[in-house]
Amino acid sequence: MYRQLVAMAFSLFLPFQASAESPAPEGARHKIGYGLMFTNDLLGDGKDRWRTGSLTSSRIYGRDWQGQAPAGFGELLELRIQGQIIAPADLVAPDPTDRPWAGALTVELNSHMQRRGTEISLGAGLAILGPQTQLDEMQGWLHDLAGAPQPSAAVLNGQVANRVRPLISAEVGREFALSDRAALRPFVEARAGDETYLRAGVDFTYGQLSQGLLARDSVSGQRYRTMMGEATGLTLTAGADIAYVSNSVFLPDAAGYSLENNRHRARLGLRWQGQNLSAFYGLSYLGKEFSSQSEGQLTGALQVQLRF
């Protein structure tokens, strides 16, 4: 059963966004947006370790976009699917104090709302972990193509075991205009399931202000667009946040891992949009997640959208 679920989930990952949607009856719910974000530390510090790679896909369903999310719960829905690989720093002969290899596939349904200027996202889903995701086989195949070291049997034998965990999440934020080109958005976020944390942070935007619905990538913290606007040009983004983390299935207490309760992130990004093509590159600093982690890491995020 899990093999079929994994196959269906990855069939939803597409490299580009088609902004032209099929016509729908007036007032009917239909797909109004799509976004995809790729993260990899090879696009950052180039060291293929820890939060080493992820691919996140969002499909947005609702009635015609009116410039902001509706006020009602369930009126605007986001189906989000993410595949993520977490690895020790050495894929061949890992340090026993390093984190275990983990493959995770998450499927979430989020409702986006806006009430009196406050943006709210509430969601729930499932986190599927372990060899049943077949992400270990995928990494081995990709590394074989690239001529990179493949995870050894010792690494994969010690990976996070098969399990399925329910998860819930919420984010509340509010954007404040600093000028006609600059905006600041404080936010708070909570999550429970695969990881349990409470996070607070801020995002900054300068340039063509965000258009359409933005979703947040859980690994890098970068926000990615699910709709292409009409404005062209460059947009600079920046942000930082801190989280109190009380539990993580990726660092099981039973295996003797000591979780870093305070987790820090900082990020920069640049988006360019032309008439039919939009591209985003972001760089995120991810702080230490466990006590024996020697340092933080830099990971890159990439999004390409094509209108046709």
Side-chain angles (χ1 to χ4, degrees), residues 14-31:
L14 297 173
F16 299 108
Q17 167 182 300
S19 63
E21 304 295 346
S22 300
E26 185 175 353
R29 191 197 307 273
H30 60 288
K31 191 175 79 170

Side-chain angles (χ1 to χ4, degrees), residues 128-156:
I128 305 167
L129 299 99
Q132 64 190 342
T133 66
Q134 301 183 52
L135 290 172
D136 52 354
E137 298 179 19
M138 178 176 292
Q139 187 184 44
W141 177 73
L142 290 172
H143 279 211
D144 185 51
L145 284 179
Q150 296 194 34
S152 66
V155 168
L156 296 181

Side-chain angles (χ1 to χ4, degrees), residues 47-50 87-95 98-99 290 294:
K47 296 184 178 179
D48 195 18
R49 57 181 180 169
W50 304 326
D90 191 329
L91 287 175
V92 179
D95 185 330
D98 204 347
R99 69 184 308 156
F290 58 102
S294 58

Side-chain angles (χ1 to χ4, degrees), residues 69-87:
F73 177 79
E75 293 183 31
L76 184 64
L77 297 175
E78 174 203 0
L79 175 62
R80 183 183 305 184
I81 308 222
Q82 181 189 77
Q84 180 183 181
I85 292 174
I86 303 174

Side-chain angles (χ1 to χ4, degrees), residues 177-221:
L178 303 179
S179 70
D180 60 347
R181 298 179 63 84
L184 200 65
R185 183 184 183 272
F187 71 94
V188 293
E189 178 190 5
R191 187 179 181 95
D194 50 357
E195 295 194 294
T196 302
Y197 57 74
L198 179 64
R199 170 175 284 131
V202 65
D203 297 299
F204 173 76
T205 306
Y206 181 81
Q208 301 295 339
L209 298 185
S210 56
Q211 298 178 1
L213 184 69
L214 295 175
R216 187 180 304 279
D217 173 61
S218 63
V219 176
S220 65

